[in-house]
Amino acid sequence: MKAVFIRAAPYGGDAMNLPVENVAAAIPFYEETMGFRIVSRQDTPPKTVSLTRDKVQIGLAENGGDPTQEGCFFEVDNVETAFAEIKGKPAAASDFRVDRLGDQSYRVFFMIAPDGLCYMIGQRQE
């Protein structure tokens, strides 16, 4: 069973324009580790790729931005299942903790993708 990705909230302004140094080099991580699939790809500058998983769509772009300053929060239906999918694959994942986003609490973990983007993956807590 796999976790369902419900929504993506970018740390900056645009989940469809996340900066990476090399789109082609970044794609395998998102497909093999994160379970995304390619929706579209543009190989002319600026190189971009649109990726989807469940209800979430993100885009990676060679746009000159700093990936270490960007990423997304992914809300999932089951954070433990998401963690199990990712742990053991080539990703650095943190332990769980509870964070408050607005008026809602989430059980979350963090991971840094090889391209430098940071992701917080979490499940809403009652």
Side-chain angles (χ1 to χ4, degrees):
M1 190 162 121
K2 293 187 176 266
V4 175
F5 280 52
I6 299 168
R7 71 180 174 103
Y11 302 147
D14 189 357
M16 294 305 297
N17 198 29
L18 298 170
V20 295
E21 186 176 320
N22 184 315
V23 166
I27 290 171
F29 170 80
Y30 291 90
E31 290 180 316
E32 297 164 15
T33 301
M34 299 285 293
F36 282 87
R37 65 179 174 74
I38 295 174
V39 175
S40 65
R41 187 173 178 171
Q42 177 180 308
D43 288 324
T44 57
K47 293 181 181 180
T48 62
V49 64
S50 294
L51 302 156
T52 190
R53 176 176 173 163
D54 306 317
K55 301 174 184 178
V56 169
Q57 191 166 5
I58 61 171
L60 306 177
E62 292 179 15
N63 59 17
D66 182 357
T68 65
Q69 299 301 309
E70 192 49 275
C72 283
F73 164 68
F74 292 122
E75 183 177 352
V76 296
D77 70 335
N78 189 314
V79 73
E80 290 184 14
T81 301
F83 185 80
E85 283 181 53
I86 293 167
K87 191 156 176 84
K89 294 182 178 177
S94 72
D95 290 330
F96 292 105
R97 72 182 201 197
V98 175
D99 275 15
R100 194 154 186 81
L101 302 170
D103 61 351
Q104 184 63 55
S105 292
Y106 292 85
R107 185 164 184 235
V108 302
F109 69 94
F110 293 84
M111 61 173 289
I112 305 292
D115 54 38
L117 291 166
C118 177
Y119 297 104
M120 179 170 67
I121 300 171
Q123 178 182 354
R124 201 176 283 255
Q125 299 296 288
E126 299 303 321

